[in-house]
Amino acid sequence: MTAQSIRQDSSPCPACTDRDVVITSISEASSLQAIAEPWREFETHAANPNLFTSVDWCRHAFNQLDRDKNRHFLIAQAYENQRLVALWPLSTRKHGALRIASSIAAPFDQYSDLLLAPDVAPERTIDAILDHLRRAHVADGLILRKVKTTSDLYGHLRNKAHVINHNAEAPHISLDPDQPFDAFLKQLNSKTRKNLRNYANRLQREGNVEHVVIEGPKTGQVIAQCFDERNAWLTDNGYSSEAFRDPHFKQFLLGLAKADRALGLVAFVLKIDGEPVALQWGFIRGDCYYAFMSCRNPKYESFSVGRLHLRHIIEVCHKFGLRTIDLMVPASPYKMNWTKQTEPVVDIVQPWSAKGHVVLGLLERNVRPAVKRCLGKAPTALRKPVMALLNR
């Protein structure tokens, strides 16, 4: 990356003609602060706002990860006739022998996307940004994890990049706060409703059932417990996760409890006689709740506490006036009990250098999917030692 190839301007673009792309290199908090308010304003009018392209999420990513010497932060902004029409928060990281561009907090972001003005031509704008990044030699290629197939990003890049389909889907629940919550419950089939009633009655016979909503610093306890139990579950069942393999992940998550309240962090705990039996935490932003991580007490697994807890969470979200619950990948059975709505997500890989074409073509298109398929089919006894070695 050369100084000549990266414009450091973070103000509106008075010199822009028909089209211009500004890449702001974020190396200190003041650089991010300088574009924070225009960014926040743009979010309110963008066609596709979401948590992981918000200025609040990206500020947290910078605050937690700026000490990672292998990571460099970039904010790409596209202008048309002096008007901001796209904003793409990115970072570059060392990936073996390569430097890779990806979403700003990868691998901790749950989706990859950019913000676009509602009246902009996505194809020309995305091409302009990618062409600028390639010519600036910021990386050997682009890896975007969990791109929704309903997004403009996928619609444009699916024929210009390698699309790796892991058959992953992100479930979501649609709510109508103008209707009573019972109307939502009646949408479930009668067998599901009966099973849920039976599980709830059994659980109530175990003791006093209480559902608690937590905000602020106390969410840190829930975050820590969910992380530790999820990490233990991955190990016990012979699975691995790119995020959990990253040594910065736990600190990144724990830092959320002390972050700006604008992130909308919230935690939910289902208890019996004061003992937590199911926990979940996520973010409320706009009219959407993003369910980030959950865990359950295995002692109560036979009571289907995951499904029962989600019922309480859905009711709270309905009371809050939210219209969407994004349950994110994967489409686990306890989630699908409550919805049939899913959005497929894929990985998108686009090499930019000769080295990127060779390595990314081999690893991302061939080796990585093949290894995932083989390990997914392998018996747990065989998979566990392999994954344990990978996780270390």
Side-chain angles (χ1 to χ4, degrees):
M1 185 187 310
T2 63
Q4 291 78 16
S5 65
I6 300 295
R7 278 186 54 173
Q8 297 295 332
D9 293 345
S10 56
S11 56
C13 192
C16 293
T17 54
D18 177 57
R19 181 179 300 276
D20 197 10
V21 174
V22 177
I23 309 295
T24 302
S25 177
I26 305 296
S27 57
E28 54 187 35
S30 59
S31 303
L32 185 55
Q33 187 59 36
I35 61 173
E37 287 312 309
W39 186 342
R40 194 182 301 281
E41 175 66 19
F42 187 59
E43 283 183 61
T44 64
H45 302 294
N48 56 336
N50 77 78
L51 171 69
F52 304 106
T53 53
S54 71
V55 65
D56 300 303
W57 175 261
C58 297
R59 180 186 282 123
H60 177 71
F62 177 80
N63 290 340
Q64 293 294 314
L65 302 173
D66 69 317
R67 291 178 295 279
D68 181 358
K69 302 305 180 184
N70 288 324
R71 188 184 295 260
H72 186 80
F73 298 91
L74 300 171
I75 311 298
Q77 299 166 86
Y79 291 84
E80 285 186 357
N81 299 318
Q82 304 184 32
R83 182 174 71 99
L84 181 64
V85 295
L87 191 149
W88 197 347
L90 298 164
S91 66
T92 65
R93 294 182 296 145
K94 291 290 289 181
H95 188 79
L98 304 182
R99 178 160 286 276
I100 299 298
S102 56
S103 58
I104 195 164
F108 311 146
D109 307 285
Q110 294 302 296
Y111 299 119
S112 295
D113 208 348
L114 77 163
L115 288 168
L116 291 164
D119 57 347
V120 72
E123 299 82 5
R124 292 179 61 206
T125 306
I126 294 169
D127 273 346
I129 294 175
L130 291 176
D131 184 59
H132 194 93
L133 291 168
R134 277 192 296 263
R135 286 188 287 106
H137 303 293
V138 301
D140 295 292
L142 179 72
I143 296 180
L144 300 174
R145 304 288 187 209
K146 299 176 186 173
V147 178
K148 291 183 178 182
T149 58
T150 55
S151 68
D152 288 319
L153 194 59
Y154 169 79
H156 179 55
L157 289 181
R158 62 182 175 179
N159 296 320
K160 296 191 174 188
H162 307 312
V163 175
I164 295 95
N165 186 356
H166 300 292
N167 297 315
E169 296 189 341
H172 64 275
I173 297 172
S174 298
L175 297 175
D176 184 355
D178 298 324
Q179 297 294 321
F181 184 64
D182 281 349
F184 168 79
L185 294 177
K186 288 178 181 177
Q187 296 175 10
L188 304 175
N189 66 57
S190 57
K191 183 178 179 181
T192 297
R193 293 199 304 271
K194 180 181 178 181
N195 288 339
L196 288 168
R197 283 195 302 270
N198 290 340
Y199 283 128
N201 290 335
R202 284 183 57 206
L203 196 64
Q204 287 170 356
R205 288 195 291 270
E206 293 294 305
N208 180 49
V209 177
E210 179 186 14
H211 185 242
V212 180
V213 181
I214 303 172
E215 297 178 276
K218 289 185 178 180
T219 54
Q221 299 173 8
V222 178
I223 292 172
Q225 185 171 346
C226 283
F227 178 92
D228 292 341
E229 295 194 14
R230 181 66 178 173
N231 197 28
W233 183 90
L234 289 169
T235 300
D236 292 344
N237 290 274
Y239 292 109
S240 185
S241 158
E242 187 178 2
F244 278 88
R245 291 196 302 270
D246 192 300
H248 300 93
F249 191 32
K250 187 171 186 179
Q251 195 59 41
F252 179 90
L253 297 183
L254 293 177
L256 289 165
K258 302 175 184 177
D260 194 315
R261 287 291 189 96
L263 267 171
L265 181 66
V266 62
F268 305 95
V269 183
L270 183 65
K271 299 181 179 182
I272 296 180
D273 290 338
E275 178 186 10
V277 297
L279 304 91
Q280 187 180 113
W281 64 270
F283 307 88
I284 293 176
R285 193 164 187 91
D287 61 2
C288 180
Y289 165 60
Y290 297 84
F292 198 93
M293 192 178 293
S294 62
C295 65
R296 300 184 291 277
N297 187 332
K299 184 169 71 173
Y300 292 92
E301 194 67 36
S302 63
F303 294 86
S304 198
V305 289
R307 286 197 287 176
L308 291 178
H309 189 207
L310 194 49
R311 187 244 188 249
H312 288 279
I313 293 170
I314 296 168
E315 186 170 14
V316 170
C317 290
H318 182 272
K319 288 179 180 177
F320 284 173
L322 305 184
R323 295 190 175 274
T324 304
I325 298 176
D326 190 332
L327 296 172
M328 301 191 194
V329 177
S332 305
Y334 84 95
K335 299 176 185 178
M336 299 309 299
N337 191 242
W338 289 98
T339 182
K340 302 305 177 188
Q341 299 174 292
T342 63
E343 290 188 77
V345 299
V346 297
D347 293 349
I348 290 180
V349 177
Q350 188 178 63
W352 291 345
S353 69
K355 185 166 57 174
H357 276 279
V358 173
V359 178
L360 291 179
L362 176 64
L363 290 179
E364 291 292 330
R365 294 186 67 191
N366 299 300
V367 176
R368 192 170 185 268
V371 169
K372 286 189 72 170
R373 284 195 300 271
C374 290
L375 287 174
K377 296 176 181 178
T380 303
L382 176 62
R383 192 174 62 235
K384 282 180 69 172
V386 176
M387 289 301 191
L389 181 63
L390 178 62
N391 289 339
R392 282 198 296 268

